[in-house]
Amino acid sequence: MEVINNSPRCPDNYLRISLKRENLATDGLSSHKNCRSQTQRAANLFKCFIYLKCQFSRRKNHQSTFTLKNGLYHRNPESKCFPRTGLSNTNNVLTFNGSGAQSYRPHATAANLRLTHGGTGTVTLDGNVNSQAVSVASGTLHLGTGRTHSAAGLFFTGGNLDFGSSTLRTTGSADFSSLAVITAGTGTLEFNGTGSQAFTPKASAAFPAVLLSSAALVPVGANLTASALTIQGGTFSFGSGTHSVGSLAMTGGTLAFGAAILNITAGDANM
């Protein structure tokens, strides 16, 4: 399976895709010419290039699910170039479920793609992701180096999250309690919604810098440990519990303590 964005052999507005069914006796990549009708395509034991083109380019009003297995192979001569117009479909789902290392380089206009990780390997984001939803059920999602990712929703039911040195922005709620491991790195978790954004940290996990950059209300549902907390607007509400941040900076907004205790563990508190 292969997805290569911005390949030197594909125009900028094209997606390179090749797909073959596992355990084929012969190379399924060369068999796509036999897929001459939709009925034949559906009856085949593997999906062909023509069918993938239909899924991603022509059926804009239908839900499309695309699954990646076994990483990226950048030199497959059988791969084809297809228009990426269908990637703006709000129902598109891109699922990684390989057992080895995989990477994802998103197209700049794929703003509504739903990104999920259900494999056992590590998926590294090799570009800025602008997604309707990001979910992790298993394996490790690595946010990459110096990237800025935006997601309307964050859904974690298992697996690991590594921030690397990237920023993860969300306009919705974020529940990290079911993650197995959180690696803070030097990243940032940013809340930039307009309404209420419930934040549930994982118990005993160290988070990277946390930033509230909008007028949202962010109630914290469990004890938070973070390298820094910056409030530029809105209301960040601890409610109760004992929380620890390396430093605190407020240039706007409101910090609501409630009955909570806030420990400053390393730097300054500028309120």
Side-chain angles (χ1 to χ4, degrees), residues 71 115 154 252:
L115 177 64
L154 301 176

Side-chain angles (χ1 to χ4, degrees), residues 11 54 59-60 70 76 90 96-97 125 129 133 137 142 151 176 179 188 220-221 226-227 257 262 265:
C54 172
R59 297 179 62 199
K60 293 183 180 181
N70 302 325
N76 193 328
T90 58
F96 292 85
N97 63 359
L125 303 185
V129 171
H142 193 294
F176 296 87
L179 284 168
T188 300
V220 181
S227 62
F257 279 84
L262 178 60
T265 59

Side-chain angles (χ1 to χ4, degrees), residues 51-242:
Y51 182 66
L52 286 176
K53 182 177 180 180
C54 172
Q55 288 279 358
F56 277 84
S57 296
R58 298 175 182 172
R59 297 179 62 199
K60 293 183 180 181
N61 296 321
H62 295 264
Q63 180 168 343
S64 302
T65 299
F66 186 41
T67 300
L68 293 182
K69 288 186 177 181
N70 302 325
L72 303 180
Y73 300 92
H74 291 263
R75 294 182 176 83
N76 193 328
E78 297 290 341
S79 60
K80 304 294 180 181
C81 299
F82 292 128
R84 289 193 261 202
T85 55
L87 287 175
S88 62
N89 188 329
T90 58
N91 289 320
N92 280 341
V93 180
L94 181 64
T95 300
F96 292 85
N97 63 359
S99 58
Q102 298 179 274
S103 64
Y104 173 45
R105 185 179 303 163
H107 185 259
T109 61
N112 291 315
L113 197 66
R114 299 170 186 264
L115 177 64
T116 68
H117 181 22
T120 58
T122 296
V123 174
T124 300
L125 303 185
D126 189 22
N128 297 332
V129 171
N130 186 8
S131 176
Q132 191 174 64
V134 172
S135 64
V136 178
S138 58
T140 299
L141 179 64
H142 193 294
L143 301 184
T145 303
R147 304 297 181 181
T148 300
H149 311 296
S150 299
L154 301 176
F155 305 95
F156 305 116
T157 58
N160 311 313
L161 179 64
D162 190 332
F163 279 86
S165 58
S166 296
T167 295
L168 178 59
R169 291 174 175 166
T170 182
T171 57
S173 296
D175 187 346
F176 296 87
S177 61
S178 296
L179 284 168
V181 176
I182 296 174
T183 303
T186 57
T188 300
L189 173 62
E190 181 178 348
F191 294 90
N192 67 339
T194 57
S196 180
Q197 297 183 255
F199 174 27
T200 307
K202 176 178 174 57
S204 303
F207 279 77
V210 176
L211 168 63
L212 172 55
S213 61
S214 68
L217 166 64
V218 179
V220 181
N223 291 342
L224 170 65
T225 299
S227 62
L229 173 61
T230 301
I231 302 172
Q232 298 175 343
T235 299
F236 198 88
S237 176
F238 284 117
S240 62
T242 300

